[in-house]
Amino acid sequence: GLETIMINIKRLDLSPASYGFRSITALMLATMILSTVGCATNNAKYNEAMIESIMDHNDVIVATGYGVISIQEGDSPAHKRLLSIRASKLDAYRVLLEQVYGQYLDTTTTVAEMVVKSDSFRSRVQGLVYGARLVSITTVGEDTYETTLSLDNTIVSDLRTLYLASTSRPQMAGS
């Protein structure tokens, strides 16, 4: 019974092969724990980098938009470039709106017989932005314009306050 189990354990502990196995197991366990800690540290550093990319060092939100020249319906190459710049600027404003107000998502998933038959979503962002500063308009490659805008955090705070005040007002009958 119990004495046999104790003897077997002692015999296993004394064998050189078991010593090596335990050492390898301990080394593998330590490596797994350290790699998990490394992932958590890298994840935290990644999150900090993402937040830092959104927030400029001057306490502003930065947004970048893109416009492709070749898909614009202009009369001349110059007209297409101007339309692309306008598209990239509007895209940057959309990105600012997403950061200030968030996005409204409407999703629908249909599952039949444990198989996804359809999966669709629509997103919408709506709001008012004022005080945005044009940081840059540059070309990316040969066919794309990139526009970067920034918005001061005090304005972001004001916009959010105005938005929350407008959504909390009681609606008048008939409006």
Side-chain angles (χ1 to χ4, degrees), residues 14-56:
L14 294 176
S15 72
S18 140
Y19 232 4
F21 179 74
R22 281 192 334 190
S23 298
I24 291 172
T25 304
L27 181 62
M28 287 177 57
L29 184 60
T31 303
M32 288 190 317
I33 290 171
L34 289 175
S35 66
T36 305
V37 170
C39 289
T41 303
N42 288 339
N43 217 5
K45 287 180 183 176
Y46 173 78
N47 290 341
E48 287 174 23
M50 289 303 294
I51 290 170
E52 202 169 305
S53 72
I54 294 170
M55 299 301 291
D56 189 63

Side-chain angles (χ1 to χ4, degrees), residues 87-113:
S88 70
K89 190 173 181 182
L90 289 173
D91 189 36
Y93 272 107
R94 179 190 55 79
V95 173
L96 275 179
L97 282 173
E98 290 172 356
Q99 292 181 50
V100 173
Y101 301 108
Q103 280 192 50
Y104 174 81
L105 295 174
D106 182 15
T107 66
T108 304
T109 302
T110 304
V111 177
E113 298 177 11

Side-chain angles (χ1 to χ4, degrees), residues 49-64 95-96 99-100 130-135 148-157 160:
M50 289 303 294
I51 290 170
E52 202 169 305
S53 72
I54 294 170
M55 299 301 291
D56 189 63
H57 295 291
N58 298 324
D59 291 324
V60 297
I61 291 177
V62 177
T64 303
V95 173
L96 275 179
Q99 292 181 50
V100 173
Y130 66 85
R133 186 176 63 85
L134 178 63
V135 175
T148 302
L149 300 172
S150 68
L151 188 62
D152 188 82
N153 270 340
T154 57
I155 295 174
V156 171
S157 180
R160 288 180 177 159

